[in-house]
Amino acid sequence: MDTQTLANQLSSLIRHLLPNSLHQDQYLSYVLRVLSSRVTTLPEMTEQKLIDRIKKRVAGVNSKKGGSDPLWKLQIQLERLFASKATTKQFSILYCLYSLSEDSLSAYLEPAIPNAKTTEGETEPMITEAIESTKELKVLPTKRAGNISEDDLLRSLLYIFQGIDGNHISYSVLDESYTIAPRVAMAEGSKEMTLRLCEVGWVYKRVAGYLQDRMNSMREGQVVQSFCSAIQSELNEYFKMLTMLEKQLQENSKQTPDKRLDLIKLNAWMQTPLEQLKHLAIICDTAQSTSR
């Protein structure tokens, strides 16, 4: 199915479900963004297979820490989840939590360039894909990305990742996306990659916006408060990674060209955080819609 046909069918579905909405175009834009991401389900995943994967992971993490066997606690929690009458989508909830934990952000706190080899001797698939996708963009390997230095551009992007407008990039409320200031002249490849990275900031703003709305509400119960606390915990790991990247950027002037943080390496670094933020954004949007 081509993109235009998909867009037309989604537009028809939105008009059918929300005939009186004044924001149908915005809903269509958001749905297309989500569908274009790498947020997918595992093929032929059944409830039992998912539980077996979770148990295997819990057992593996626990053996590395040398603690007591936590599998019995996991079994109790699973029984409580599937016995709950509060929701009929226990499998979806379990799979979502599994997906969020699959690529922990803390794994990206190691001060190494993310093109290192895995234990099997192969490059991480997602990082390989990110690096390969930059080859067609023709990003020039220089210290400048047009009429601004590459370090200044990277610094602006680190602000964007936190939902803060930079000196050269700002958020357009009208377009609901980030735009590069007209005064900034950039090579086409660098511009395309920069806008691609701005997607991280766009998704972050959705998650942070949900948390801010819930924090400003005085009528939220303990379940919502606990949920927001869990989301904030994930964001704290995200901020730790950004702090590490900021430190590496500050040391760029002391590094040799092959060890410098540049636009291509930053793009590779942000692939997994972007995917996790998209998961969080989907959860927050769903929680917000069901609470109305």
Side-chain angles (χ1 to χ4, degrees), residues 254-267:
K254 306 175 185 178
Q255 301 292 341
T256 57
D258 61 314
K259 293 184 178 181
R260 286 174 52 86
L261 178 65
D262 56 27
L263 198 58
I264 294 177
K265 291 175 183 175
L266 182 63
N267 180 62

Side-chain angles (χ1 to χ4, degrees), residues 10 74 134 165 258:
L10 287 173
L74 173 63
T134 64
D165 286 356
D258 61 314

Side-chain angles (χ1 to χ4, degrees), residues 73-121:
K73 292 184 179 180
L74 173 63
Q75 186 62 39
I76 292 176
Q77 296 302 323
L78 289 174
E79 291 176 357
R80 289 179 178 176
L81 173 64
F82 286 99
S84 173
K85 297 181 180 179
T87 178
T88 58
K89 299 181 178 180
Q90 288 89 343
F91 174 79
S92 299
I93 294 173
L94 194 61
Y95 175 75
C96 184
L97 294 174
Y98 174 82
S99 298
L100 285 172
S101 66
E102 190 169 18
D103 295 304
S104 175
L105 286 172
S106 61
Y108 284 79
L109 300 179
E110 297 297 329
I113 301 301
N115 59 358
K117 302 294 183 178
T118 62
T119 55
E120 289 79 11

Side-chain angles (χ1 to χ4, degrees), residues 14-15 18-28:
I14 291 174
R15 288 197 302 271
L18 304 168
N20 300 320
S21 175
L22 300 177
H23 307 287
Q24 292 180 357
D25 291 341
Q26 295 180 4
Y27 286 128
L28 176 61

Side-chain angles (χ1 to χ4, degrees), residues 111-207:
I113 301 301
N115 59 358
K117 302 294 183 178
T118 62
T119 55
E120 289 79 11
E122 298 178 354
T123 307
E124 286 285 352
M126 189 177 298
I127 300 302
T128 300
E129 180 183 340
I131 295 176
E132 289 295 326
S133 67
T134 64
K135 292 182 179 180
E136 299 179 358
L137 297 180
K138 297 180 181 179
V139 180
L140 299 179
T142 66
K143 293 184 179 180
R144 303 193 67 81
N147 62 354
I148 63 173
S149 69
E150 188 172 40
D151 282 2
D152 285 344
L153 177 60
L154 296 179
R155 192 167 291 106
S156 290
L157 283 170
L158 289 178
Y159 281 119
I160 297 302
F161 296 161
Q162 301 171 68
I164 305 171
D165 286 356
N167 293 329
H168 311 294
I169 309 171
S170 59
Y171 184 76
S172 170
V173 178
L174 181 62
D175 298 329
E176 291 191 343
S177 62
Y178 282 95
T179 59
I180 301 174
R183 68 177 184 277
V184 178
M186 300 175 63
E188 191 61 31
S190 298
K191 182 178 181 180
E192 183 177 342
M193 187 180 297
T194 298
L195 292 176
R196 187 183 296 176
L197 282 167
C198 286
E199 188 79 358
V200 178
W202 181 84
V203 180
Y204 168 80
K205 284 177 72 72
R206 296 195 72 88
V207 177

Side-chain angles (χ1 to χ4, degrees), residues 20 35 41 53 65 72 86 118 126 135 141 170 179-180 194 196 223 249 257 270 282-283:
N20 300 320
L35 290 177
T41 57
R53 287 196 180 199
K65 293 183 177 181
W72 67 275
T118 62
M126 189 177 298
K135 292 182 179 180
S170 59
T179 59
I180 301 174
T194 298
R196 187 183 296 176
V223 174
L249 178 59
M270 299 308 298
I282 291 173
I283 294 174

